[in-house]
Every structure is written in structure tokens, then in C-alpha cells.
Amino acid sequence: MEMNRRKFLAYLGTGTAALAAASAGLGSLTGGDKAYAARTADHLFGYKSNKVSGFFEPIAHSKVDDVILPKGFKYDVVAAYGDVINEAGDTFGFNNDFTVYFPIDGSNTHGLLWVNHEYSSDVFVHGQPGADGNYTAEQIKKMLYVQGGSVIEVRRDEKGVWKLDTQSKYARRVTGLTPTKLVGPAAGTKAVNGAVNVQGTFANCSGGMTLWNTLLTCEENFEETSGQAGLDATHYGWVVEVDPFDPTFEIRKHTALGRFNHENTAMGLSKDGRVVVYMGDDKKDACVYKFVSKNNYVPEMGRANTALLTEGTLYAADLKKGKWIALTIEAVQKALKDEKFKVPSLIKATKEELAAKFQTQADVCVNTHEAALILGATPTDRPEDIEICLFDNTFFVAHTNNDNHGNIHGHITRFFEKDSDLGAMEFDFEIFAAGGRQSGFSAPDNLTFDSNGNLWTVTDISSGSLNKGVFTSFANNGMFVIPTTGPNMGVAMQFASAPVEAEMTGPWFTPDESTLFLAVQHPGENTTDPSKPTSTWPRRPGDTMPRPAVIAITGFQF
């Protein structure tokens, strides 16, 4: 597409621009604030910067079993499944996802990297279950160990190569075997079968960083692993806080943030200083959530601010009305007592069964998805990653897809909180970018912004659908950049292509944007015979199987 947004709007006129923009994968610039609309015609966020990361010549779709990057860029494999990460002999987990870089002494070349590990593999990790369909105790132990997360120490050497420091005093694993603690409204209640101390974290998909320099890792598709391991499912599906620098910091699951198939968190502040956490629920017909703390953030308190996540209000979005619905036990019980109430079709329970289930606020925390639907929140198309744009306090949601609704290729939605206040109770939204042939990408997943406001997104076409049917034209999964300024404003340009059957996840820049960390997850996922893998990436000396790995991409020019 050669037409930029200014020419596009001038040609069509604002009356038809909104409709045409949605089909072209561009956000609408119409609205009540004409000054703002005019300003965003030059830059979507009205922001100008002399620092622009990522000038590159877009690459073509690829089926090559490698990470393909534009000319002038390279990648280093920093850590891969099975690598020893510390002197204790702990090893890097499987199917790495979310990454977050914590500088050491402010360095852009030396820091800690937290990496999520989402799920295990029968073929490559612990073997098939027995004839009775069950795994052995040893298999379960390994299954739980390779999930969770890794804290690794990384350095960029004098030759510009990123490497893992195996002598690190910080490096450690947090796994499905690690003792953790429930905090907040549901801790110790009947809703979690009286538990406060629970075992481990697993199914860790994406996450986020807190304002007090800890990390939040999100438990997503926890049901299968908890069932296989014989663990209480109510202890999983939470947002989990970890301090990468301090192993004595008690790992905690924040029940006030709700229990569902968490993708990630995006944290910001309301105008009056309260902490706001946006969250997506990665399943079909799921809702968009935000939590607003009761008390205000106090920077001087440091990580004691973690208490803010134990008390506040959880909301779900009603897209029809543009309002946030408070998920309280009082509201749920009132709705269920209404004679006119009809159980939403997505809930497989009777009105009487729901009334018996929802007795306390802890029940709302544990059964958040049902509570949201009962109160009229809007089911959407797999709301995965959510990111707050720091330039204007809008937030973006990657709706990956939903074939139940005919939304095969997904879209990215941009939300506008009233008065640009993250604590507002009203909002508006628009389709910022639509997946499909016209945009060149399908199934947007994780999102991030660079300092010039360019939106970066990775894609998650399922391994079974890659290079088949309506997904043929997209080839392998990849990473795309959607500029919000300049001649390519609104055009998705491919920056990276993943190996065979892999997806790229967890994009995270160093503060100076000289390095982009990416996780390459499940290469060769469709392999059934380990002696005949469908991918052999990353093909390091000694590798005999494909290995999920974290890579560091360099070559950015400023």
C-alpha cells in the first residue's frame, strides 16, 4: 500500500474513511475531537521523536526453517531448552514465551531476563502416557519442572554477541514444583478449598512488569496440566508475581485479579494515582478485564506496593455500552435473583446452580468468566495481549481470532478511556488493524511499542493450520511492524519469519532499543517421531532435536 493515512483520508473524505479504514486494517481518525483527529493524521499519537528503532526493508513471507530477518539484522540464540543456567545445574524450561529484560546497574548490555515456559511435550520432554492414559510420577515431575519460568543473566560481549552467564548469582527456575502463595480475596477461602500455600505455577503464557520492578507471569491454559498432575484447578489460572533479583521474595498469586485463562498484564496509573491492570482471557468468546486498586501507588514504597494488587475492584468490558462492569458478588447475586434473568448461552449451568456457586467475592474471583457473562460483559474473539500506549493512554488488544464468529484472521482493537484516564468507567474503541490477505498477517498475538509509537505484533497461526487453506498465503508465523507515522503509516510490514511450526512470542526491547528479545516457541510442534522432526532449528552443535529458544536481535540503527 503506497497511500499514507493523510492522503487516504483526503481522498475518501472523513464520512467514508471510518468504514474503509477498518477493512484496510487502519484505525479510524474520525471522532468528536477534531483537533486530535487532525493531529493524528501526521502521527497517530501526536508524538514526534528523533529516535526511531527499526528502519528496515520488509521481508517476504517465508517457509524456511530458520529465523529470517531483514538485511542488516542478526540474531543470537541466548538460551534454549535444556541449557544449564546456573551453578546449581538448573536447566532452561520448555516452550518459552513471555520475556522481560531487567537492566543491571542501568545497563543495556547486561541484565536479567525473565522467560515464561508455557507447556511441555510428549515427544520431546517426558514421553507418552501409559496404556491407561496416565503419566508416571516421574513424567509428571518433569512436566511440571519444564514449565513456569526462568531467571537468566545475559550479557552482550565486546563482539556484540548476547550470551547466557551460567555463573550468575541470580539465575534460577520457578516451576510447577515451586512453593507459591495465594493472596487477596480468595486466599484461604472455600472457593480455593481453604488453600493459602499452593504448589507451583505452570501454563505461563505472557505477563508484564510492575511499576515497582517485579514481574507478573500469567497462567493461561492450566486445565490440562493440573488435571494430569492431579492438582486442584482452583489454585491455577492466576496472575503470579516474582522478583527476579530476590529469591526470598515470596512468590504470590493475586486472586483479586481474577482466575481465567490469562494472557498478559498491562499496568498503568489512573489520573488519581491508583494502579490499573488490563488483562486478556485467551479463549474464544472471552472478555477484556481491568483491575483498579483501592489505594494509590507510592513510588517511595518500592515493592511494598505489591499490596495494591490485593485490594481493589475487578471490571469487565461491555463493548455495546462502552462501560466497565464491576464484578462484585452483590451485583452477581442481584442479577441471579432477577426473574427476567436468562443464563447466557456460553454458560453451561442452570440459574439455580449459579446461585449456589456465587456466595462470596472469592467465588467471583475464582469463577471470573462466568461472573462477567452474568453481568453482561461482551464475549470477544480471543483477547490475548493488551498493551497501554504511553503516548496517549489508549490501550490495544490483540483479538487473535474466533472461527465461531467467522473471524478467521483476527484483529487489533484500540480502546479510548474517557478523558484519557485509565481509571475511567467509560470507553470507546476502534479496529486499529485487521488480519487477512489485505494486511499480510493473520492471528495477531503479543504486542509492543517502540519509542516512535510503531506497533510490533507477532502472529500465532496454529501449527496445524500453517501453510494450509486460507492460511497458505501467510507461510510461517512471523513478526510485523505497523508504523503510526511516515509514508508507511498503518501498513503492516514483516520484520521476522519464524522456523517451521514455530511462533514468535514475548517481544521486549532493551531500554535503548538496541536489542529486541524474542522467544521462538514450539519449532517442529507437529513432530510425531522424534527421529524425524519437522524442524531442526536452532541447529546448534550437539542438538539432536528442535529446541524452543530465546533469541536476541540486533542491528537497529538510530
Side-chain angles (χ1 to χ4, degrees):
M1 182 183 295
E2 296 181 355
M3 183 177 292
N4 67 24
R5 192 185 296 258
R6 176 186 287 276
K7 294 177 182 177
F8 181 73
L9 291 174
Y11 178 76
L12 290 176
T14 57
T16 56
L19 293 175
S23 64
L26 301 174
S28 165
L29 296 179
T30 61
D33 188 348
K34 293 182 179 179
Y36 179 72
R39 185 168 71 247
T40 56
D42 287 323
H43 191 294
L44 185 62
F45 308 113
Y47 177 82
K48 294 182 179 180
S49 170
N50 293 322
K51 176 183 174 185
V52 181
S53 65
F55 280 124
F56 64 93
E57 184 68 29
I59 66 171
H61 297 313
S62 172
K63 296 181 182 180
V64 174
D65 186 30
D66 200 354
V67 174
I68 306 300
L69 299 171
K71 183 179 179 180
F73 292 84
K74 72 176 183 70
Y75 73 90
D76 304 316
V77 175
V78 180
Y81 168 61
D83 287 355
V84 175
I85 65 170
N86 58 21
E87 291 183 300
D90 286 320
T91 56
F92 196 69
F94 199 70
N95 275 341
N96 35 225
D97 200 297
F98 171 65
T99 72
V100 54
Y101 176 81
F102 293 86
I104 292 178
D105 296 327
S107 175
N108 290 290
T109 58
H110 179 208
L112 299 185
L113 195 67
W114 167 271
V115 185
N116 276 2
H117 299 294
E118 189 172 1
Y119 60 99
S120 187
S121 167
D122 287 355
V123 176
F124 297 122
V125 178
H126 49 66
Q128 301 287 342
D132 59 359
N134 296 320
Y135 295 95
T136 66
E138 188 60 32
Q139 285 177 306
I140 291 171
K141 183 178 180 181
K142 193 164 188 179
M143 178 192 301
L144 295 174
Y145 179 78
V146 302
Q147 297 183 62
S150 294
V151 177
I152 59 175
E153 188 168 345
V154 295
R155 298 174 186 266
R156 191 176 183 184
D157 66 18
E158 64 280 357
K159 295 182 180 179
V161 177
W162 281 93
K163 295 179 179 178
L164 174 69
D165 182 357
T166 59
Q167 308 301 307
S168 171
K169 66 178 182 180
Y170 298 109
R172 71 186 196 274
R173 288 295 317 282
V174 175
T175 76
L177 303 167
T178 304
T180 61
K181 182 180 182 180
L182 297 178
V183 297
T189 67
K190 183 179 178 181
V192 293
N193 297 306
V196 173
N197 298 305
V198 300
Q199 177 184 310
T201 179
F202 47 78
N204 306 79
C205 189
S206 189
M209 180 186 282
T210 69
L211 298 173
W212 45 94
N213 212 39
T214 60
L215 67 94
L216 299 176
T217 175
C218 294
E219 298 175 336
E220 192 190 62
N221 296 313
F222 60 89
E223 297 90 345
E224 185 174 359
T225 297
S226 62
Q228 292 165 340
L231 296 169
D232 188 333
T234 67
H235 300 172
Y236 308 95
W238 303 106
V239 173
V240 187
E241 186 174 5
V242 180
D243 186 336
F245 288 98
D246 185 2
T248 68
F249 178 84
E250 194 166 36
I251 299 170
R252 60 204 64 188
K253 302 191 178 192
H254 287 287
T255 66
L257 275 58
R259 173 178 168 269
F260 44 89
N261 300 111
H262 285 276
E263 173 71 19
N264 83 314
T265 66
M267 181 177 288
L269 289 176
S270 65
K271 283 188 175 181
D272 62 5
R274 292 172 294 160
V275 165
V276 179
V277 183
Y278 293 96
M279 298 167 285
D281 185 1
D282 184 10
K283 58 177 176 281
K284 297 175 183 177
D285 302 317
C287 304
V288 175
Y289 299 90
K290 79 172 178 182
F291 170 85
V292 182
S293 66
K294 177 182 177 181
N295 298 315
N296 286 19
Y297 170 63
V298 181
E300 295 77 17
M301 290 179 60
R303 63 182 194 182
N305 282 289
T306 181
L308 296 173
L309 301 183
T310 64
E311 193 174 5
T313 304
L314 183 62
Y315 299 88
D318 180 344
L319 273 67
K320 293 181 181 179
K321 297 180 180 179
K323 294 184 177 181
W324 290 101
I325 301 171
L327 304 183
T328 66
I329 186 59
E330 293 80 10
V332 171
Q333 290 181 337
K334 181 180 179 181
L336 292 172
K337 290 177 182 177
D338 189 334
E339 293 181 357
K340 297 180 180 179
F341 175 80
K342 293 183 179 180
V343 177
S345 60
L346 293 171
I347 297 179
K348 306 306 178 185
T350 66
K351 184 176 180 180
E352 293 70 26
E353 289 170 335
L354 292 173
K357 176 182 288 188
F358 288 98
Q359 297 295 314
T360 68
Q361 187 62 32
D363 296 318
V364 174
C365 294
V366 171
N367 304 289
T368 306
H369 176 64
E370 287 179 316
L373 295 178
I374 288 169
L375 294 177
T378 306
T380 67
D381 296 339
R382 285 184 65 195
E384 293 208 49
D385 208 294
I386 299 179
E387 295 297 333
I388 301 168
C389 178
L390 298 180
F391 305 114
D392 66 351
N393 262 9
T394 58
F395 69 93
F396 289 66
V397 181
H399 294 277
T400 298
N401 52 33
N402 189 344
D403 54 7
N404 289 345
H405 298 169
N407 186 359
I408 307 302
H409 299 300
H411 61 277
I412 300 170
T413 309
R414 182 187 183 197
F415 284 74
F416 302 80
E417 294 278 32
K418 185 177 181 180
D419 300 325
S420 298
D421 181 4
L422 300 185
M425 292 295 101
E426 298 179 23
F427 61 86
D428 199 355
F429 70 94
E430 67 182 16
I431 305 301
F432 172 74
R437 289 176 59 92
Q438 82 288 347
S439 59
F441 69 88
S442 177
D445 193 332
N446 300 143
L447 306 171
T448 194
F449 287 97
D450 65 27
S451 64
N452 201 43
N454 297 313
L455 180 66
W456 297 64
T457 182
V458 291
T459 61
D460 183 17
I461 302 170
S462 68
S463 297
S465 298
L466 283 167
N467 296 301
K468 297 177 183 177
V470 298
F471 299 99
T472 302
S473 65
F474 304 104
N476 292 352
N477 278 309
M479 183 173 203
F480 296 79
V481 182
I482 306 177
T484 59
T485 187
N488 292 313
M489 188 190 308
V491 180
M493 303 184 296
Q494 186 162 2
F495 175 78
S497 178
V500 169
E501 295 163 12
E503 61 169 309
M504 291 170 159
T505 60
W508 195 280
F509 285 102
T510 53
D512 67 351
E513 296 179 346
S514 61
T515 298
L516 171 64
F517 293 102
L518 269 181
V520 179
Q521 191 183 101
H522 58 69
E525 185 176 40
N526 289 340
T527 297
T528 55
D529 181 349
S531 68
K532 299 176 182 178
T534 55
S535 169
T536 56
W537 188 87
R539 291 183 288 276
R540 302 176 306 172
D543 281 345
T544 59
M545 57 172 276
R547 294 183 183 272
V550 168
I551 61 175
I553 298 173
T554 53
F556 297 96
Q557 302 295 321
F558 306 108

